[in-house]
Amino acid sequence: MTSDILIIGGGVIGLAIAVELKLRGTKNVTVLCRDFQAAATHAAAGMLAPDAEIIQDQAMRQLCWRSRTLYPEWTRKLEDLTGINTGYWACGILAPVYQPPTSPAPRESPAYWLDQAAIHQYQPGLGNDVVGGWWYPEDAQVDNRLLAQALWTAAKSLGVDLKDNVTVEGLIQQQGQVIGIQTNTEGMIRASHYVLAAGAWASELLPLPVRPRKGQMLSLRLPDFVPELPLRRILFGENTYIVPRRSRSIIIGATSEDVGFTPHNTPAGIQNLLQQAIRLYPQLQDYPIQELWWGFRPDTPDELPILGTSHCENLTLATGHYRNGILLAPVTAEIIANLICEQKSDSLLPNFHYTRFHTQPSTAPMLTHSANFTNGHRAIAPLPTPDSPLPDSPLIIAGKTFQSRLMTGTGKYRSIEEMQQSVVASNCQIVTVAVRRVQAKTPGHEGLAEALDWSKIWMLPNTAGCQTAEEAIRVARLGREMAKLLGQEDNNFVKLEVIPDPKYLLPDPIGTLQAAEQLVKEGFAVLPYINADPMLAKRLEDVGCATVMPLASPIGSGQGLKTTANIQIIIENAKVPVVVDAGIGSPSEAAQAMELGADALLINSAIALAQNPAAMAYAMNLAAVAGRLAYLAGRMPIKSYASASSPVTGTINS
Ligand code: GLY
């Protein structure tokens, strides 16, 4: 089965994109939805609240405002198509407070401060302890469930092929393209272009840092004895919001819980919501409860959506809308349709590109964000992100600063996608590439220019496959050109490998030293791969190498640290960074090398040949961080005899 454009996700984002694509004349559009009712779309309250949500990020504010502006026309168009009134209502939002603000927040959008007398006059019935509040006249609401219904109906009437209760199990990728998707009920489905709009479930298909953030909600029904809706605007309290609908429902939201996909309403969640809502607007306490529900917001580390191109040329991303999916639906549809139909990239899009998560400087750089990696159907849960308890300096090589102490490679992966996912998961900033393999277009090395984001990843060209100093020098020069072609004009790094021996792949010390001398003269930052020979390491440092890279055991052997004593001496004597390279097979060995005081690690085979490379890459990153921290923390001395954990001094002897 083929389709022009296949959208994964039948929430408000996926449907809005489908409708927009159809309206622009796309012939075949398919939407796959795992469970229409489970989408965050249904759980939302439908606030269109860029002002009340106090969005700090400038680009995000622009995006939200643009979308809010599109709403009246967009919902009218949907009504024309379907006859469904979505309940769009420019009702404004009132945000009462219990403490007078210490300083008025600088606001670019219309927001009016109402003092105690004014707010109680403007909105009778507020809790006694409300001392004032902000009035956001431009914020609005839509009935999100009616909107979902309108979008579904519009999509259907425009000829979108809508499939509910279909779970996408995998994106099948080949050479930078999605070539099909595997589903649980429909087998393989192919399209020429794909859109991932799977909300909180996006990370089950790609290693994107999207996580569920649960929200519990409830609604009340305005009793018959209250003839008129007493609330004519949304109340946005400090820990709750109350959204009155024209239909006489009153929505109360929402908890914000980091509990994964744990379903159900809980007594604590509902109690908390009710308490806050009654404090804000006490008369609610007598209204009948209509419904309780919950949903999962698609949260991202910076709470901004992930929009735009992906690592695959025919896959567009539109997910991670967190608290603002309903609001952002029309602008997302417009921007994504422009991108797909007209290759027009909106000026705001770079702010929302997925690559922003690839590097993130901090004292605990490698733990600052996490992603889910799936192993079959088992999701590996993201780990917590502790702050580094110890200050650390970054890794500096030839004057260039790196936050990550793990370097990886591109060789031996089963597919280019596994390589890409692993590089992301490892959080590395340096990736070594065999110049010869790129030249020869060895499998996995074609399309490398597009495969990784070279604006974020520093390329370390290596001279693998060179048996003599002369060959290595020639290949190093080619490597420099290669880095230039990728836009790294100032990249003069080379990982020098001179390996005449095909069986053990042990480097030639004399050839390495000769080549290093020459390359340093030519202005290269030379990172020589060597046997763990302290004398050689010193000589290489003396000729001006930028690092030394002693092997832990033979390349690709996964034998672990076989040269510990010598590596220790190299670390003790080196004034340049020591990068332990080759032979590390597992995270425990990676951690051990870092505990010795190595400045960094280069790991390729142990990641590429793991059953789940991305998960192993993630584990190696954690090991490198843990080992580094342990080194800084200083391990306890090893003793010959036991020593009791509870001291005996000061105890009472009877
Ligand atoms: N948009 C409000 C919420 O996510 O709770």
Side-chain angles (χ1 to χ4, degrees):
M1 187 203 299
T2 60
S3 166
D4 282 352
I5 300 183
L6 190 146
I7 298 167
I8 304 165
V12 70
I13 299 294
L15 290 173
I17 294 170
V19 166
E20 188 62 30
L21 289 172
K22 265 294 181 190
L23 289 173
R24 292 183 188 207
T26 308
K27 224 160 146 217
N28 299 313
V29 179
T30 302
V31 173
L32 300 183
C33 187
R34 50 193 298 290
D35 178 357
F36 185 50
Q37 296 304 327
T41 302
H42 295 269
M47 288 186 295
L48 309 174
D51 294 335
E53 288 272 357
I54 317 209
I55 289 161
Q56 301 291 346
D57 184 88
Q58 179 73 24
M60 178 68 168
R61 264 207 315 272
Q62 297 294 338
L63 191 73
C64 288
W65 283 335
R66 254 171 70 182
S67 208
R68 190 182 58 189
T69 306
L70 291 173
Y71 245 95
E73 177 56 24
W74 187 60
T75 46
R76 197 197 49 74
K77 196 166 62 186
L78 287 173
E79 188 170 347
D80 287 350
L81 278 168
T82 63
I84 298 172
N85 183 321
T86 60
Y88 171 75
W89 182 9
C91 59
I93 294 185
L94 189 62
V97 296
Y98 300 116
Q99 304 282 334
T102 44
S103 59
R107 289 163 202 282
E108 294 171 41
S109 59
Y112 301 97
W113 172 250
L114 303 181
D115 65 15
Q116 191 159 19
I119 197 165
H120 285 279
Q121 189 187 16
Y122 186 55
Q123 179 56 64
L126 292 175
N128 285 336
D129 51 351
V130 168
V131 298
W134 293 98
W135 164 233
Y136 301 106
E138 295 186 16
D139 281 347
Q141 66 159 298
V142 68
D143 183 326
N144 45 293
R145 293 188 188 180
L146 290 175
L147 176 67
Q149 213 182 311
L151 282 167
W152 186 272
T153 310
K156 228 179 174 56
S157 71
L158 290 167
V160 174
D161 187 10
L162 290 165
K163 294 183 195 300
D164 197 9
N165 301 310
V166 178
T167 300
V168 176
E169 294 177 331
L171 296 175
I172 302 158
Q173 301 166 51
Q174 238 173 46
Q175 297 180 348
Q177 295 272 337
V178 177
I179 56 160
I181 58 162
Q182 191 65 44
T183 66
N184 64 337
T185 53
E186 309 269 319
M188 166 99 134
I189 307 184
R190 294 177 193 277
S192 46
H193 199 98
Y194 302 79
V195 179
L196 182 64
W201 292 267
S203 60
E204 290 184 357
L205 295 172
L206 287 181
L208 294 170
V210 183
R211 303 174 53 176
R213 166 77 54 172
K214 183 177 172 183
Q216 299 190 49
M217 306 187 64
L218 74 148
S219 63
L220 309 177
R221 176 119 214 108
L222 194 66
D224 293 341
F225 62 81
V226 183
E228 279 282 307
L229 197 59
L231 271 181
R232 307 290 304 170
R233 54 193 69 90
I234 294 168
L235 297 183
F236 199 97
E238 285 170 13
N239 294 300
T240 189
Y241 46 78
I242 302 171
V243 183
R245 295 267 198 256
R246 284 198 178 112
S247 63
R248 297 172 66 87
S249 283
I250 296 174
I251 317 289
I252 298 176
T255 63
S256 184
E257 302 165 63
D258 193 5
V259 293
F261 285 110
T262 309
H264 305 305
N265 290 109
T266 60
I270 296 301
Q271 180 189 36
N272 186 27
L273 289 178
L274 287 173
Q275 244 166 15
Q276 300 288 347
I278 292 169
R279 180 180 182 197
L280 192 58
Y281 194 63
Q283 62 188 273
L284 295 182
Q285 65 196 317
D286 298 320
Y287 291 5
I289 291 179
Q290 184 174 261
E291 190 188 340
L292 309 178
W293 70 92
W294 71 92
F296 301 104
R297 305 173 183 91
D299 191 6
T300 63
D302 56 10
E303 302 183 354
L304 307 183
I306 298 173
L307 303 174
T309 55
S310 72
H311 63 291
C312 287
E313 195 234 312
N314 62 342
L315 171 67
T316 303
L317 306 176
T319 186
H321 290 72
Y322 188 42
R323 293 177 64 93
N324 298 296
I326 304 291
L327 168 63
L328 290 175
V331 83
T332 302
E334 183 181 274
I335 285 178
I336 297 296
N338 283 344
L339 190 63
I340 296 174
C341 303
E342 296 166 40
Q343 289 75 50
K344 218 166 83 192
S345 181
D346 194 276
S347 62
L348 285 175
L349 266 183
N351 301 286
F352 304 107
H353 202 250
Y354 77 101
T355 47
R356 71 184 186 273
F357 299 115
H358 282 185
T359 53
Q360 197 168 346
S362 127
T363 48
M366 296 170 271
L367 286 180
T368 48
H369 54 79
S370 43
N372 277 344
F373 303 102
T374 52
N375 183 358
H377 297 289
R378 256 177 320 121
I380 295 162
L383 292 167
T385 56
D387 288 325
S388 177
L390 290 173
D392 193 4
S393 46
L395 172 69
I396 300 176
I397 301 175
K400 198 164 165 63
T401 300
F402 302 95
Q403 301 298 332
S404 168
R405 292 177 180 272
L406 175 62
M407 309 177 185
T408 65
T410 54
K412 300 188 184 168
Y413 284 94
R414 286 175 284 259
S415 71
I416 204 143
E417 293 73 36
E418 282 194 347
M419 184 274 284
Q420 291 166 318
Q421 288 166 1
S422 303
V423 167
V424 173
S426 74
N427 213 19
C428 70
Q429 289 172 292
I430 299 180
V431 170
T432 190
V433 174
V435 177
R436 284 227 149 134
R437 292 196 194 106
V438 175
Q439 296 258 305
K441 295 200 165 55
T442 311
H445 288 78
E446 66 293 331
L448 206 65
E450 296 78 32
L452 295 175
D453 182 354
W454 296 109
S455 66
K456 302 261 165 40
I457 302 268
W458 189 248
M459 177 184 275
L460 177 55
N462 71 58
T463 63
C466 296
Q467 298 189 331
T468 64
E470 291 70 29
E471 268 181 81
I473 293 165
R474 238 184 11 254
V475 169
R477 292 177 190 141
L478 290 174
R480 182 144 70 177
E481 293 314 309
M482 208 165 88
K484 279 209 182 92
L485 283 176
L486 296 177
Q488 298 185 359
E489 279 299 325
D490 56 341
N491 189 339
N492 59 346
F493 279 38
V494 62
K495 181 180 177 229
L496 177 60
E497 298 184 22
V498 181
I499 305 180
D501 144 47
K503 179 163 182 205
Y504 300 106
L505 295 174
L506 290 171
D508 169 10
I510 297 166
T512 306
L513 185 61
Q514 285 169 344
E517 250 173 322
Q518 177 60 28
L519 289 169
V520 169
K521 277 193 202 132
E522 292 185 23
F524 282 88
V526 181
L527 291 78
Y529 167 64
I530 56 169
N531 206 329
D533 177 345
M535 278 317 299
L536 176 63
K538 207 64 211 155
R539 293 288 300 274
L540 287 161
E541 191 184 308
D542 291 344
V543 302
C545 285
T547 64
V548 284
M549 303 184 75
L551 55 83
S553 52
I555 295 181
S557 69
Q559 289 175 17
L561 274 174
K562 295 283 191 226
T563 54
T564 311
N566 277 6
I567 287 181
Q568 245 162 341
I569 299 171
I570 294 174
I571 291 170
E572 239 171 74
N573 290 324
K575 294 198 177 59
V576 291
V578 177
V579 184
V580 173
D581 185 0
I584 286 179
S586 68
S588 60
E589 292 154 8
Q592 203 191 339
M594 293 304 288
E595 283 172 43
L596 294 177
D599 295 278
L601 305 172
L602 196 152
I603 303 176
N604 183 179
S605 304
I607 296 174
L609 301 180
Q611 280 185 26
N612 184 332
M616 184 58 81
Y618 192 59
M620 287 296 189
N621 174 33
L622 294 175
V625 174
R628 175 70 183 173
L629 199 51
Y631 167 72
L632 295 173
R635 63 154 294 150
M636 67 165 281
I638 297 172
K639 298 176 188 167
S640 309
Y641 299 102
S643 141
S645 295
S646 321
V648 282
T649 46
T651 52
I652 299 162
N653 294 316
S654 53

Short mmCIF file of all heavy atoms in Angstrom, two decimals, residues 43-49 53 213 215-217 236 241 253-256 297 322-326, ligand 1:
data_model
loop_
_atom_site.label_atom_id
_atom_site.label_comp_id
_atom_site.label_asym_id
_atom_site.label_seq_id
_atom_site.Cartn_x
_atom_site.Cartn_y
_atom_site.Cartn_z
N ALA A 43 -7.60 15.23 26.51
CA ALA A 43 -7.42 15.51 27.94
C ALA A 43 -7.34 17.01 28.21
O ALA A 43 -7.59 17.45 29.32
CB ALA A 43 -6.15 14.83 28.42
N ALA A 44 -7.00 17.78 27.20
CA ALA A 44 -6.71 19.20 27.43
C ALA A 44 -7.94 19.98 27.89
O ALA A 44 -9.06 19.48 27.88
CB ALA A 44 -6.19 19.79 26.13
N ALA A 45 -7.69 21.22 28.28
CA ALA A 45 -8.80 22.09 28.65
C ALA A 45 -9.14 23.04 27.51
O ALA A 45 -10.16 23.72 27.54
CB ALA A 45 -8.44 22.90 29.88
N GLY A 46 -8.24 23.14 26.52
CA GLY A 46 -8.51 23.99 25.37
C GLY A 46 -8.21 25.46 25.58
O GLY A 46 -8.71 26.31 24.85
N MET A 47 -7.38 25.74 26.59
CA MET A 47 -7.01 27.16 26.77
C MET A 47 -6.07 27.59 25.65
O MET A 47 -5.15 26.84 25.28
CB MET A 47 -6.28 27.34 28.10
CG MET A 47 -7.17 27.21 29.29
SD MET A 47 -6.27 27.61 30.80
CE MET A 47 -5.08 26.30 30.86
N LEU A 48 -6.28 28.78 25.13
CA LEU A 48 -5.37 29.35 24.13
C LEU A 48 -4.68 30.49 24.87
O LEU A 48 -5.13 31.63 24.83
CB LEU A 48 -6.16 29.82 22.91
CG LEU A 48 -7.12 28.75 22.33
CD1 LEU A 48 -7.97 29.32 21.20
CD2 LEU A 48 -6.34 27.53 21.85
N ALA A 49 -3.62 30.14 25.59
CA ALA A 49 -3.16 31.01 26.67
C ALA A 49 -1.68 31.35 26.63
O ALA A 49 -0.97 31.19 27.62
CB ALA A 49 -3.49 30.33 28.00
N GLU A 53 0.13 31.69 30.30
CA GLU A 53 1.14 30.65 30.56
C GLU A 53 2.53 31.25 30.79
O GLU A 53 3.47 30.55 31.13
CB GLU A 53 1.20 29.64 29.41
CG GLU A 53 0.00 28.70 29.31
CD GLU A 53 0.15 27.42 30.16
OE1 GLU A 53 1.20 27.23 30.78
OE2 GLU A 53 -0.83 26.65 30.20
N ARG A 213 4.08 13.78 30.52
CA ARG A 213 3.89 14.54 31.77
C ARG A 213 2.39 14.47 32.03
O ARG A 213 1.59 15.10 31.34
CB ARG A 213 4.40 15.96 31.55
CG ARG A 213 4.02 16.97 32.56
CD ARG A 213 4.76 16.93 33.86
NE ARG A 213 6.19 16.99 33.80
CZ ARG A 213 6.94 17.13 34.90
NH1 ARG A 213 6.38 17.23 36.08
NH2 ARG A 213 8.25 17.16 34.80
N GLY A 215 -1.34 14.75 33.32
CA GLY A 215 -2.23 15.76 33.88
C GLY A 215 -3.56 15.11 34.22
O GLY A 215 -4.14 14.42 33.38
N GLN A 216 -4.00 15.27 35.45
CA GLN A 216 -5.34 14.79 35.83
C GLN A 216 -6.28 15.99 35.79
O GLN A 216 -5.89 17.11 36.13
CB GLN A 216 -5.33 14.23 37.24
CG GLN A 216 -4.42 13.04 37.43
CD GLN A 216 -4.65 12.39 38.78
OE1 GLN A 216 -5.79 12.11 39.17
NE2 GLN A 216 -3.57 12.11 39.49
N MET A 217 -7.53 15.73 35.42
CA MET A 217 -8.50 16.81 35.29
C MET A 217 -9.87 16.32 35.69
O MET A 217 -10.10 15.12 35.85
CB MET A 217 -8.54 17.28 33.84
CG MET A 217 -7.18 17.65 33.32
SD MET A 217 -7.20 18.39 31.71
CE MET A 217 -8.10 19.87 31.99
N PHE A 236 -7.22 31.51 35.89
CA PHE A 236 -5.93 30.83 35.84
C PHE A 236 -5.24 31.08 37.17
O PHE A 236 -4.61 32.10 37.39
CB PHE A 236 -5.12 31.42 34.68
CG PHE A 236 -3.98 30.56 34.22
CD1 PHE A 236 -4.13 29.72 33.13
CD2 PHE A 236 -2.75 30.59 34.87
CE1 PHE A 236 -3.07 28.93 32.68
CE2 PHE A 236 -1.71 29.81 34.44
CZ PHE A 236 -1.85 28.98 33.34
N TYR A 241 -6.48 25.77 37.02
CA TYR A 241 -7.26 26.66 36.15
C TYR A 241 -8.69 26.15 36.06
O TYR A 241 -8.95 24.96 36.23
CB TYR A 241 -6.62 26.83 34.77
CG TYR A 241 -6.15 25.57 34.11
CD1 TYR A 241 -7.04 24.71 33.50
CD2 TYR A 241 -4.79 25.25 34.10
CE1 TYR A 241 -6.60 23.55 32.87
CE2 TYR A 241 -4.34 24.09 33.49
CZ TYR A 241 -5.25 23.24 32.88
OH TYR A 241 -4.82 22.10 32.29
N GLY A 253 -8.41 21.98 35.80
CA GLY A 253 -7.14 21.29 35.54
C GLY A 253 -6.04 21.93 36.34
O GLY A 253 -6.25 22.96 36.96
N ALA A 254 -4.95 21.41 36.26
CA ALA A 254 -4.54 20.06 35.92
C ALA A 254 -3.30 19.77 36.75
O ALA A 254 -2.52 20.69 37.04
CB ALA A 254 -4.20 19.95 34.44
N THR A 255 -3.18 18.52 37.12
CA THR A 255 -1.94 18.14 37.81
C THR A 255 -0.82 18.08 36.78
O THR A 255 -1.06 18.08 35.57
CB THR A 255 -2.07 16.77 38.49
OG1 THR A 255 -2.28 15.79 37.46
CG2 THR A 255 -3.19 16.74 39.50
N SER A 256 0.39 18.03 37.25
CA SER A 256 1.55 17.91 36.36
C SER A 256 2.49 16.92 37.02
O SER A 256 3.19 17.26 37.96
CB SER A 256 2.19 19.27 36.18
OG SER A 256 3.25 19.17 35.26
N ARG A 297 0.83 14.89 28.57
CA ARG A 297 1.40 15.96 27.74
C ARG A 297 2.74 15.47 27.19
O ARG A 297 3.50 14.84 27.92
CB ARG A 297 1.67 17.21 28.57
CG ARG A 297 0.50 17.77 29.34
CD ARG A 297 1.02 18.91 30.22
NE ARG A 297 0.00 19.48 31.06
CZ ARG A 297 -0.29 19.06 32.30
NH1 ARG A 297 0.37 18.04 32.82
NH2 ARG A 297 -1.22 19.66 33.00
N TYR A 322 3.98 19.76 24.51
CA TYR A 322 3.86 19.91 25.97
C TYR A 322 2.51 20.50 26.39
O TYR A 322 1.48 19.90 26.15
CB TYR A 322 5.04 20.73 26.50
CG TYR A 322 5.12 20.79 28.01
CD1 TYR A 322 4.88 19.65 28.79
CD2 TYR A 322 5.42 21.98 28.68
CE1 TYR A 322 4.93 19.71 30.18
CE2 TYR A 322 5.49 22.03 30.07
CZ TYR A 322 5.24 20.90 30.80
OH TYR A 322 5.30 20.95 32.17
N ARG A 323 2.47 21.69 26.97
CA ARG A 323 1.21 22.25 27.50
C ARG A 323 0.43 23.02 26.43
O ARG A 323 -0.62 23.59 26.73
CB ARG A 323 1.50 23.24 28.64
CG ARG A 323 2.08 22.62 29.88
CD ARG A 323 2.40 23.71 30.91
NE ARG A 323 1.23 24.39 31.38
CZ ARG A 323 0.54 24.06 32.46
NH1 ARG A 323 0.91 23.03 33.19
NH2 ARG A 323 -0.53 24.74 32.82
N ASN A 324 0.96 23.07 25.21
CA ASN A 324 0.41 24.03 24.25
C ASN A 324 -0.01 23.43 22.92
O ASN A 324 -0.05 24.12 21.90
CB ASN A 324 1.44 25.15 24.03
CG ASN A 324 1.71 25.89 25.33
OD1 ASN A 324 0.82 26.52 25.89
ND2 ASN A 324 2.91 25.75 25.85
N GLY A 325 -0.34 22.15 22.93
CA GLY A 325 -0.67 21.47 21.67
C GLY A 325 -1.91 22.02 21.01
O GLY A 325 -1.95 22.21 19.79
N ILE A 326 -2.95 22.27 21.78
CA ILE A 326 -4.19 22.79 21.19
C ILE A 326 -3.92 24.16 20.59
O ILE A 326 -4.22 24.44 19.44
CB ILE A 326 -5.33 22.87 22.24
CG1 ILE A 326 -5.56 21.52 22.92
CG2 ILE A 326 -6.60 23.44 21.62
CD1 ILE A 326 -6.16 20.45 22.05
N1 GLY B 1 -2.37 23.73 28.87
C1 GLY B 1 -2.59 23.47 30.23
C2 GLY B 1 -2.04 22.21 30.72
O1 GLY B 1 -1.30 21.54 30.03
O2 GLY B 1 -2.33 21.86 31.83
#
